[in-house]
Amino acid sequence: MEKTGSMNRRNLFAMIGAAAGASVMYDAMTSMGFAAASKYTGPIKLQGDPKGASVLILGAGVAGMTAALELRDAGYKVQILEYNDRAGGRSWSLRGGDSYTELGGATQTCEFDKDLYLNPGPWRIPYHHRALLDYCGRLGVALEPFIQVNYNAYIHSSQHFGGKPKRFREVQADFHGHIAELLAKTTAQGKLDQPVSKEDTEILLTALRQWGALDNSYSYRESIRSSGRRGYDKPPGGGLNSTPIPSKPIQLRDLLQAGLWQTLSSGQELDWQSSIFQPVGGMDMIAKGFERQVGHLIRYNAKVIAIGQDSRGVTVSYLDTRTGGAPAQARADWCLCTIPLSVLNQIEMAVGAPMANAISAVPYASAVKTGLQFKRRFWEQDEAIYGGITFTDLPICRSARSPIRAPPTAVPVRVSCWEALPPRPATLGSMQPVLMNSPVCPRPNG
């Protein structure tokens, strides 16, 4: 993962987003070259006359199949070589009965119940991924909302508050409230670094009072107003005992020391802003949509071992991983390679040293994602958490909940995902399974 100074860019953007909001963070990402609006306006229209030209595509992931679809429609002769026995690349799903052999040789078998799945790769489609959303519509891939931010989910610090998690809404309301109070009182005292007119000062104070749920003295404290954001000790209701009881905010020092504020930007970073979508039934529904169009062009179980080129075109040598035997060859006028660089740098290629060095120099971030199935949907039944992500400072980092398509009593199971970023994968590898799956929020027995 790339870093700026001693802080990686992801954490830098998270801090900017938590303190100043999504628009400021987006400007920062744009200035650093990490964000730009999609220029996609509709179906691609390739120009020129292919004159019978052929294209060999290496890799049947989403990029490879998209290229195959568009090149075929433009009149090119297209063929695809794919290492796996399936299409989709990283955009895939694991279901009960599936088995997967990792590069290190370890084989895992998925034993989920029927209709349950895990997306081990990508699992979200932001609203600004306009090209992919358009292809989903054209290919008949049904989409549903993905819940990124759940205000009733947990944020957990193992070293603070007795190890007990706090609700996302509590942390966000209290952080915003305390920051608004500090800024409001600074503004009211005329101590801002830049001069502000009297009219703008009044507008700013009104905005801060509303944004931070402050009282008339610009204080964030235990009140009905603040509890309307963070939740009540006793919610309002009907009858003789309908009077609500406000809850007590977390003190600013405790919030800062616990570091819970670091996750507040989870729904503000550009890739995670609402609306977010996911394919109904798993991310591999996208691959299956493309397969219906270009599946007949794909040669599966084809392990590329060499890529050569000369004045007549490109020659690719590959092995059939099912049958073995002598290497086969595929020729074309042009080659479009979508093989990950971490794999491509291990393949013999007819390229110059600068290109080879560039391919080898690109780093990849480590990550771990684990899917679990439980006997019942306790996070819904006991905690009223429907979708969204729970964050923790434990090595598992975060826990996400499966989509809701039935009453909690209909299918009492759950598939959860945990992701970990460096250096935590190494930490996870040394943990016993019982510790790796230790709960973030209260979990019933059984």
Side-chain angles (χ1 to χ4, degrees), residues 72-73 85 101 167 173 175 191 194 214 225 232 314 320 341 353 366 373 379 425 438:
R72 182 206 63 185
D73 290 349
D85 59 359
T101 301
R167 300 286 185 177
F175 186 76
K191 295 183 178 180
Q194 298 296 326
L214 308 181
R225 176 177 291 182
Y232 301 85
V314 180
D320 188 318
L341 298 182
S366 300
Q373 175 181 325
W379 58 99
S438 59

Side-chain angles (χ1 to χ4, degrees), residues 241-430:
N241 297 318
S242 61
T243 303
I245 299 176
S247 59
K248 185 176 181 180
I250 305 170
Q251 294 301 305
L252 178 58
R253 174 179 173 80
D254 294 333
L255 278 175
L256 296 176
Q257 292 294 322
L260 300 183
W261 55 270
Q262 297 181 66
T263 63
L264 295 180
S265 65
S266 63
Q268 296 177 340
E269 296 190 40
L270 182 65
D271 283 343
W272 301 339
Q273 293 173 9
S274 297
S275 299
I276 310 176
F277 304 94
Q278 60 187 352
V280 176
M283 286 298 292
D284 61 353
M285 293 296 118
I286 297 176
K288 292 179 180 179
F290 276 106
E291 274 187 298
R292 290 192 289 269
Q293 294 292 323
V294 299
H296 63 287
L297 303 176
I298 303 174
R299 180 183 293 276
Y300 297 98
N301 302 294
K303 180 182 179 179
V304 174
I305 58 174
I307 304 173
Q309 56 181 331
D310 53 32
S311 59
R312 295 176 298 172
V314 180
T315 300
V316 174
S317 300
Y318 65 93
L319 295 172
D320 188 318
T321 58
R322 291 179 304 177
T323 61
Q329 291 186 334
R331 289 191 56 84
D333 298 316
W334 304 94
C335 177
L336 191 157
C337 181
T338 69
I339 297 174
L341 298 182
S342 57
V343 176
L344 185 61
N345 65 16
Q346 303 174 52
I347 297 175
E348 179 185 339
M349 296 177 290
V351 298
M355 175 65 75
N357 292 336
I359 292 173
S360 299
V362 176
Y364 281 72
S366 300
V368 175
K369 185 180 288 186
T370 304
L372 299 176
Q373 175 181 325
F374 293 89
K375 293 182 179 180
R376 67 185 188 92
R377 304 177 76 94
F378 62 84
W379 58 99
E380 295 173 0
Q381 298 167 352
D382 301 344
E383 301 294 332
I385 298 176
Y386 300 91
I389 298 173
T390 285
F391 296 92
T392 176
D393 61 356
L394 294 173
I396 59 175
C397 286
R398 65 199 69 181
S399 168
R401 291 150 192 91
S402 57
I404 304 167
R405 298 194 193 92
T409 56
V411 185
V413 290
R414 168 194 182 189
V415 176
S416 295
C417 306
W418 279 270
E419 294 179 285
L421 299 170
R424 293 183 174 181
T427 304
L428 281 173
S430 62

Side-chain angles (χ1 to χ4, degrees), residues 194-266:
Q194 298 296 326
V196 179
S197 68
K198 181 179 179 181
E199 179 182 4
D200 287 347
T201 296
E202 293 176 352
I203 294 174
L204 178 57
L205 289 172
T206 299
L208 289 171
R209 184 186 296 121
Q210 177 180 345
W211 181 70
L214 308 181
D215 63 15
N216 292 334
S217 64
Y218 305 112
S219 295
Y220 182 73
R221 61 181 182 83
E222 179 180 336
S223 67
I224 296 298
R225 176 177 291 182
S226 63
S227 295
R229 304 282 180 87
R230 70 184 317 278
Y232 301 85
D233 275 354
K234 178 179 175 294
L240 297 177
N241 297 318
S242 61
T243 303
I245 299 176
S247 59
K248 185 176 181 180
I250 305 170
Q251 294 301 305
L252 178 58
R253 174 179 173 80
D254 294 333
L255 278 175
L256 296 176
Q257 292 294 322
L260 300 183
W261 55 270
Q262 297 181 66
T263 63
L264 295 180
S265 65
S266 63

